[in-house]
Amino acid sequence: MSATRAARHRMPGRLVAGGASAVLVAAVAMVIALFAADSEPHSGDDGLAGVGTLTEWLLPLSRLLSTMATVGCAGALLAAVVLLRTDGGPLGLQGRRAVRDASNSAIIWAVAAFAGAVLTAAVMLSTPVDLLRLRLDDALGVPEVKALLITGILVTALAIGVRRVETASAAGLGVLVAVAALIPPAVTAFPRDESYVVLAGAALVIHVIAATSWVGGLAGLVRYGRASRGGLPLVLERFSQVALASSIAVLLSGLISAAGRLAAKGGGFGAIPDVLTSDAYGGLLLAKTVAFVVLIIGGWFHRRHAIGDLSNRGHRFWQLVAGELIIMAIAIGLSVALSQTT
């Protein structure tokens, strides 16, 4: 009994440490990518009209934190609804833990979304944060700001509503709300005057949802699948189905979205090769694509060759999973850097 209690007390600490480590890895990747693409915030002589370098740096950091919290929330909800599936019946111990974790992650997601709305308004209106109250109507008229506010409201409702759900079917409603919250920022990710914005934007919505499911599902596997050695093979089988569908959707939607964005930058689909090899956005896109290809190959390899180690928590299987999570964190950092690169 004492060992069980001790394990329950240790897990939150491990969860926080693991989450902090993932954010740190993603942040380092993001900063390196921004400098490599010459897209890092620069201090300028903007005087009173400027927002300052600190605010400009806080914007991508808030996006990064929001993305990581989104992954945590999605992973917990997927665990409760899919990985630990009980056919709509009462949630078990791990399922109840998952919905609480989802609620906690949603709180962080909501805070990051609201903070991102403020920072986005400040940067896009070139107005210091403490003076935004004087331009409130202008700020609320920015589509990106409205999208983040909608996301923040939806996620706040999610955090409150999902916290004490008792069944997998009720948790499934939380999944729908989370998916809805992902859509507004995705559809406003590209400038409205791009001729290929419909193609790129629609594909990006699918890309974001699929990537969140994939990365979050793996995080959920680590967090909840390891708790039961006997049930782990079934959890892994369910995750493999999610990972297969998500990885295919991520790859295809990512290629379509990237093609639309590169075509918009180059003035046509024929200009894609030139933009891809000469533009900073193209370089980051290639790096992100390499990361996802490595993830797909790594996922295939460890599910094919390392499943025999499932009974031993410290063996090769979990080492490979940890490696996947690190690469996923790097890919997230690159994704945020891409959103900052014009």
Side-chain angles (χ1 to χ4, degrees), residues 79-341:
V81 177
V82 179
L83 304 185
L84 306 170
R85 187 169 62 240
T86 58
D87 297 324
L91 295 171
L93 175 62
Q94 290 301 314
R96 293 193 299 273
R97 176 179 293 173
V99 295
R100 287 195 299 272
D101 289 344
S103 177
N104 292 334
S105 296
I107 293 172
I108 299 173
W109 183 5
V111 171
F114 287 129
V118 173
L119 294 168
T120 298
V123 170
M124 297 194 74
L125 298 177
S126 296
T127 303
V129 171
D130 59 344
L131 297 180
L132 273 179
R133 67 186 186 279
L134 303 178
R135 303 191 63 184
L136 186 58
D137 290 341
D138 293 334
L140 293 177
V142 177
E144 291 82 355
V145 173
K146 289 190 288 187
L148 287 168
L149 291 175
I150 292 171
T151 292
I153 292 170
L154 288 173
V155 177
T156 299
L158 173 64
I160 297 172
V162 80
R163 191 165 193 86
R164 297 191 180 278
V165 301
E166 298 288 342
T167 65
S169 58
L173 295 176
V175 173
L176 296 179
V177 175
V179 170
L182 289 171
I183 295 175
V187 298
T188 57
F190 297 135
R192 270 100 23 228
D193 59 351
E194 290 183 352
S195 59
Y196 303 90
V197 68
V198 175
L199 174 67
L204 183 62
V205 171
I206 299 173
H207 186 74
V208 169
I209 294 173
T212 302
S213 300
W214 185 13
V215 181
L218 184 60
L221 172 67
V222 174
R223 167 69 167 139
Y224 310 105
R226 297 183 67 185
S228 173
R229 295 188 183 187
L232 182 55
L234 179 59
V235 172
L236 178 60
E237 180 182 353
R238 291 173 175 174
F239 168 70
S240 295
Q241 296 170 358
V242 172
L244 177 61
S246 297
S247 61
I248 293 173
V250 164
L251 188 59
L252 293 179
S253 61
L255 290 174
I256 295 172
S257 179
R261 180 66 184 266
L262 293 172
K265 291 176 71 68
F269 285 105
I272 288 179
D274 292 335
V275 178
L276 190 61
T277 55
S278 63
D279 191 82
Y281 182 88
L284 289 183
L285 183 63
L286 287 173
K288 179 184 172 184
T289 302
V290 169
F292 275 117
V293 170
V294 170
L295 282 173
I296 293 172
I297 295 174
W300 171 85
F301 178 83
H302 91 240
R303 290 186 231 320
R304 182 176 177 87
H305 297 284
I307 290 178
D309 285 336
L310 286 178
S311 61
N312 191 329
R313 298 175 186 233
H315 260 297
R316 188 180 183 187
F317 176 81
W318 293 114
Q319 293 172 354
L320 288 170
V321 169
E324 280 189 89
L325 287 172
I326 291 173
I327 297 174
M328 284 179 171
I330 293 172
I332 289 173
L334 293 174
S335 297
V336 176
L338 271 173
S339 71
Q340 294 289 117
T341 303

